[in-house]
Amino acid sequence: MKINVLLSPVFADELYYSGKVTAVIDVLRATTTICTALANGAKEVIPVASVESAVKVSGGMFGGLTLLGGERNTKKIEGFALGNSPLEYTQEVVQGKSIVLYTTNGSKAIVKAKFSSKLFILSFNNLNAVAEKLLSLDKDIEILCSGRNNGFSLEDTICAGKLITEIMKVKEDAELSDGAKISYNINKTLGKNLHKVLMESDHGKILSANGFDEDLNYCSKLNTYDIVPLYSSNVIKISH
Ligand code: MLT
């Protein structure tokens, strides 16, 4: 098994993902929000790469059963029902609903990797479940970090490193690319106190300044959910 980590979405174009098994990460906060929404009973999450697509896609769906969610500069977008805080995606709010989600980095990264043969959604909250799924497939793996504004983000890289660490407990001989080795080693050095990592990260500081301290706590929790969200035919659902 070969494992590669793309430390930012700029490292590859859409066609790169064709036929590959990919896990996308945006710990703060898109992939954590997607896991939460699905764990709380949302029917599906539809990630989109622009606000215009969000409005267009939701316009063609049944009003009461669809919710528009997402953020610009961490804040809810005008006219949207929900922002991008996972804490908003409670069972009462999302049960049975289709959620169209636009976020600055995360939803775009997912859409970019859409040609993958299997595309999984990863956060700290569902790390072991995704690791188990990837081990059962036993294929080479691409891990895509959504990062920040086409740059690197510490929290996504540490999450990639933790996934690799989990996989290597079983596949000791997995072959790591340079990006995978960096992630593995950064997790070893910095990945013990995840809450601290998130609070001290570039995006974590911005979220904290905007009043989202509770989100940092929530997004830092390991294995809250035993679910594997899978993107297929433009929608994300729990894979069974
Ligand atoms: C993103 O996709 O850039 C993030 O999820 C932003 C956020 O924290 O809301």
Side-chain angles (χ1 to χ4, degrees):
M1 179 189 282
K2 289 185 189 163
I3 307 178
N4 181 38
V5 176
L6 298 145
L7 297 166
S8 149
V10 289
F11 285 16
D13 63 16
E14 290 186 353
L15 291 179
Y16 173 83
Y17 298 95
S18 296
K20 297 195 163 132
V21 173
T22 309
V24 182
I25 309 170
D26 183 14
V27 167
L28 295 175
R29 298 166 287 173
T31 57
T32 308
T33 297
I34 293 166
C35 287
T36 305
L38 293 171
N40 282 337
K43 181 178 164 224
E44 60 198 6
V45 178
I46 305 164
V48 290
S50 69
V51 173
E52 294 68 35
S53 321
V55 174
K56 214 191 258 170
V57 170
S58 68
M61 300 176 86
F62 296 109
L65 293 175
T66 307
L67 293 173
L68 268 176
E71 55 72 41
R72 249 192 200 135
N73 301 323
T74 76
K75 299 274 174 49
K76 187 167 94 170
I77 299 165
E78 212 187 310
F80 279 33
L82 297 164
N84 190 31
S85 167
L87 302 178
E88 290 178 68
Y89 290 70
T90 59
Q91 194 175 357
E92 296 70 44
V93 174
V94 304
Q95 178 99 51
K97 301 272 167 61
S98 295
I99 293 155
V100 180
L101 186 72
Y102 168 80
T103 72
T104 314
N105 302 286
S107 68
K108 285 186 197 158
I110 296 167
V111 172
K112 191 165 190 185
K114 64 179 176 239
F115 295 131
S116 305
S117 63
K118 297 245 183 253
L119 178 50
F120 299 111
I121 306 300
L122 174 66
S123 67
F124 287 128
N125 288 185
N126 70 333
L127 192 121
N128 279 4
V130 173
E132 269 170 38
K133 173 62 88 176
L134 292 169
L135 280 165
S136 73
L137 291 175
D138 202 14
K139 295 261 169 46
D140 294 345
I141 301 166
E142 299 289 329
I143 306 174
L144 169 59
C145 298
S146 299
R148 253 191 97 232
N149 304 333
N150 291 330
F152 166 92
S153 90
L154 194 56
E155 65 279 8
D156 291 348
T157 311
I158 289 180
C159 187
K162 241 180 226 325
L163 180 74
I164 295 168
T165 306
E166 213 43 52
I167 288 171
M168 287 185 70
K169 285 181 187 165
V170 179
K171 285 258 160 207
E172 282 171 35
D173 59 348
E175 198 182 310
L176 305 188
S177 71
D178 289 359
K181 280 183 194 150
I182 286 173
S183 310
Y184 179 81
N185 282 301
I186 290 184
N187 175 54
K188 240 181 174 172
T189 327
L190 298 176
K192 292 194 178 69
N193 186 340
L194 294 178
H195 186 230
K196 187 163 182 280
V197 166
L198 295 198
M199 292 217 308
E200 292 175 359
S201 68
D202 292 344
H203 193 58
K205 285 184 202 157
I206 293 170
L207 286 170
S208 180
N210 282 288
F212 293 112
D213 282 325
E214 263 312 300
D215 285 16
L216 299 182
N217 187 34
Y218 182 87
C219 294
S220 70
K221 296 269 186 285
L222 273 169
N223 303 318
T224 318
Y225 303 117
D226 189 21
I227 61 164
V228 180
L230 174 71
Y231 176 97
S232 175
S233 310
N234 303 320
V235 305
I236 303 167
K237 293 185 176 182
I238 293 177
S239 151
H240 293 288

